[in-house]
Amino acid sequence: MKIINQSDAEAICTKIQTTLFQNIQTTEKDWDIFRSLIKTVSYNKNEFLLQINEIENNIYCLLEGVVRKYTFKGTKEYTFDFHFPVKFFNSYSSYRQKTPSTIALQALSPALVLQFSRKSMEQLYEQAPNAKKTGRKMIEFALINTENKDAKINTQSPEDNYLELLNQNPKLVQNISGRHIASYLGITPESLSRIRKRISKS
Amino acid sequence: MKIINQSDAEAICTKIQTTLFQNIQTTEKDWDIFRSLIKTVSYNKNEFLLQINEIENNIYCLLEGVVRKYTFKGTKEYTFDFHFPVKFFNSYSSYRQKTPSTIALQALSPALVLQFSRKSMEQLYEQAPNAKKTGRKMIEFALINTENKDAKINTQSPEDNYLELLNQNPKLVQNISGRHIASYLGITPESLSRIRKRISKS
DNA sequence: CAAATTTATTAACTTAAGTCAATCTTTTTC
DNA sequence: GAAAAAGATTGACTTAAGTTAATAAATTTG
């Protein structure tokens, strides 16, 4: 984990501005404040943005790499989701309630991340009234995806789930190890192997 | 569906105040405003608080009864969750983004519900600054539960899931039809029958 | 680059979930 | 309260997931 210099952060911030906040009215001054609060951090493969039982104090925006969101059920890992650029996320319930996180966030490749600390978000709210919307929007981006996967995974067969994943996100399947994909699908790596074999025959 | 008279609502509101908002500083004036914005609604069994493809314009607080949150995957229903009193909920992504809801909210028994419309929430924010926290808290209550079930269901066997449900929420299992429980567990009613049989033998 | 570690595949076996269909039970409705 | 509808159980059959274990392939690390 390594904090990046501020001039890089500036370029990145512009990217955010143009891609994610097109519809929000913000003044130049708002953006100056926003920009000054960003911390850009790089993570190595397998490093943790957040460990289980830590308290979440950041909102993240992934710019490069892949991040895995997972938990433990007994001794087994369960992968909720994979995050790709450009996406906002964090461990929301831990962030909001200041309780130990039940989930971990781990980089699966070298990753570049914008981090907005709780403190900087509070500063943003105080100093840049117009940017309040930006803050809310970030939280929303981090939350809106929660109503989807559950239903998918639990209404069709593991094979159908895998085929759907292949279809909707081929680069995920190519770049992420099978055990993580199996953990995402709620099956064993052995089952995933068999599914792949079955598919290749048909 | 039937809107209840205001005097009943007053008593109910007191219940909310004492049970849910103990830690939030609100003035008497704030509470007067809050109270005036509440609509109390009763639903018959099987009636919908929200249908799929409707736009969500409310936040609900369930006072009596059971509500099921579900969706369709192809032709099959999938039940995300059951709500019991006293609980806040809505179709959050639809409410926030004003897009057609992918989930339905259905009363499984006669139900009594407080409804806070989008409009009344906006009024609350404008008129009662201290009550802003109340509004946020309601949303939080509605959201915090989203990081849990997924992992449970997908890391152990259907039988273990059922046993856990029996253990953690016996009244749910007693009061709700098997096909809904099966749909919650991601299995068929036939499988649930067999699981029950197996358990009763051991 | 070689050794060590991690990841992926395959096989043999057991177990249980899905499906289809029949029957029994409970609940709803007029 | 009788008829109809909805829900629950059981059986027979097929299919695939879990488990354990062995091996092969790929990646990491010194």
Side-chain angles (χ1 to χ4, degrees):
Chain A
M1 169 175 158
K2 188 185 146 202
I3 297 177
I4 307 289
N5 69 59
Q6 203 58 27
S7 61
D8 286 350
E10 302 260 339
I12 286 158
C13 188
T14 308
K15 190 177 171 188
I16 301 263
Q17 187 171 7
T18 52
T19 55
L20 282 176
F21 297 116
Q22 296 168 334
N23 303 319
I24 298 175
Q25 281 202 337
T26 41
T27 64
E28 268 310 306
K29 185 170 156 279
D30 290 336
W31 273 109
D32 287 342
I33 295 165
F34 187 74
R35 218 171 281 142
S36 73
L37 298 171
I38 294 179
K39 204 167 65 182
T40 313
V41 184
S42 76
Y43 290 89
N44 295 323
K45 184 171 177 173
N46 294 328
E47 256 189 308
F48 288 89
L49 287 69
L50 180 75
Q51 298 256 20
I52 287 170
N53 284 329
E54 279 181 354
I55 291 181
E56 175 66 275
N57 286 308
N58 293 295
I59 300 173
Y60 310 93
C61 179
L62 184 64
L63 297 176
E64 287 169 27
V66 189
V67 169
R68 181 169 77 108
K69 171 183 172 179
Y70 74 97
T71 189
F72 280 92
K73 173 75 190 182
T75 63
K76 283 181 202 159
E77 288 184 4
Y78 179 73
T79 299
F80 289 100
D81 212 353
F82 304 99
H83 299 306
F84 294 88
V86 178
K87 189 167 172 188
F88 284 94
F89 57 86
N90 71 351
S91 175
Y92 181 70
S93 61
S94 175
Y95 181 82
R96 205 64 179 99
Q97 302 180 320
K98 299 184 186 174
T99 49
S101 179
T102 56
I103 66 156
L105 296 168
Q106 181 188 30
L108 294 186
S109 66
L112 191 62
V113 179
L114 301 186
Q115 290 191 192
F116 304 85
S117 69
R118 189 191 301 279
K119 229 175 221 171
S120 73
M121 292 304 289
E122 282 161 9
Q123 276 185 53
L124 184 71
Y125 290 155
E126 274 178 29
Q127 295 171 22
N130 290 328
K132 265 195 187 174
K133 277 190 192 161
T134 309
R136 281 211 206 115
K137 199 117 186 173
M138 284 163 62
I139 294 280
E140 275 167 45
F141 275 117
L143 278 173
I144 283 299
N145 302 301
T146 52
E147 275 174 1
N148 303 316
K149 179 196 169 191
D150 189 12
K152 275 189 196 169
I153 294 293
N154 292 106
T155 46
Q156 48 187 20
S157 68
E159 182 164 335
D160 289 342
N161 287 328
Y162 179 69
L163 285 168
E164 198 172 309
L165 193 66
L166 254 183
N167 190 42
Q168 290 182 0
N169 203 342
K171 80 173 174 181
L172 186 156
V173 179
Q174 284 155 24
N175 297 321
I176 291 176
S177 79
R179 34 183 287 274
H180 291 145
I181 292 172
S183 144
Y184 176 82
L185 296 172
I187 60 178
T188 60
E190 292 92 332
S191 286
L192 180 57
S193 265
R194 277 183 230 118
I195 287 169
R196 282 172 164 165
K197 199 178 181 182
R198 251 181 272 149
I199 289 168
S200 70
K201 281 181 183 170
S202 61
Chain B
M1 171 175 158
K2 190 184 144 202
I3 298 177
I4 307 289
N5 69 58
Q6 203 58 27
S7 61
D8 285 351
E10 301 259 340
I12 287 159
C13 187
T14 308
K15 191 178 170 187
I16 302 263
Q17 186 170 7
T18 52
T19 56
L20 282 176
F21 297 116
Q22 296 169 334
N23 303 321
I24 298 175
Q25 281 203 336
T26 42
T27 65
E28 268 309 306
K29 184 169 158 279
D30 290 336
W31 274 108
D32 287 342
I33 294 165
F34 186 74
R35 216 172 283 142
S36 73
L37 296 173
I38 293 179
K39 205 167 65 180
T40 314
V41 184
S42 77
Y43 290 89
N44 295 324
K45 184 168 177 176
N46 295 327
E47 256 189 306
F48 288 88
L49 286 69
L50 180 75
Q51 298 255 21
I52 287 171
N53 284 329
E54 280 182 352
I55 292 181
E56 176 66 276
N57 286 308
N58 293 294
I59 300 174
Y60 310 94
C61 179
L62 184 65
L63 298 176
E64 287 170 27
V66 189
V67 169
R68 181 168 77 109
K69 172 183 171 180
Y70 74 97
T71 190
F72 280 92
K73 173 76 191 180
T75 62
K76 283 182 203 161
E77 289 183 4
Y78 179 73
T79 299
F80 290 100
D81 211 355
F82 304 100
H83 299 306
F84 293 88
V86 177
K87 190 167 171 188
F88 283 94
F89 57 86
N90 70 351
S91 175
Y92 182 69
S93 61
S94 174
Y95 180 82
R96 204 67 181 97
Q97 302 180 320
K98 300 185 187 173
T99 49
S101 178
T102 56
I103 67 156
L105 297 167
Q106 182 187 31
L108 293 186
S109 66
L112 191 63
V113 179
L114 300 186
Q115 290 191 194
F116 304 85
S117 70
R118 189 191 301 279
K119 228 175 222 170
S120 72
M121 292 304 289
E122 281 161 9
Q123 276 184 51
L124 184 70
Y125 290 156
E126 273 178 29
Q127 295 171 21
N130 290 328
K132 265 197 188 175
K133 278 188 191 163
T134 310
R136 281 215 206 111
K137 198 116 187 176
M138 283 162 63
I139 294 279
E140 276 166 44
F141 274 118
L143 278 173
I144 283 299
N145 303 299
T146 51
E147 275 175 1
N148 303 316
K149 179 196 169 192
D150 189 12
K152 276 189 194 167
I153 294 294
N154 292 106
T155 45
Q156 48 186 20
S157 69
E159 181 163 337
D160 288 343
N161 287 329
Y162 179 70
L163 285 168
E164 198 172 308
L165 194 65
L166 253 184
N167 190 42
Q168 289 181 1
N169 204 343
K171 81 173 171 178
L172 187 157
V173 180
Q174 283 155 25
N175 297 320
I176 290 176
S177 79
R179 32 182 288 275
H180 290 146
I181 293 173
S183 145
Y184 176 81
L185 296 172
I187 60 177
T188 60
E190 293 93 329
S191 287
L192 181 57
S193 265
R194 278 184 227 116
I195 287 170
R196 283 171 163 166
K197 199 178 180 182
R198 250 181 272 148
I199 288 168
S200 70
K201 279 181 184 169
S202 59

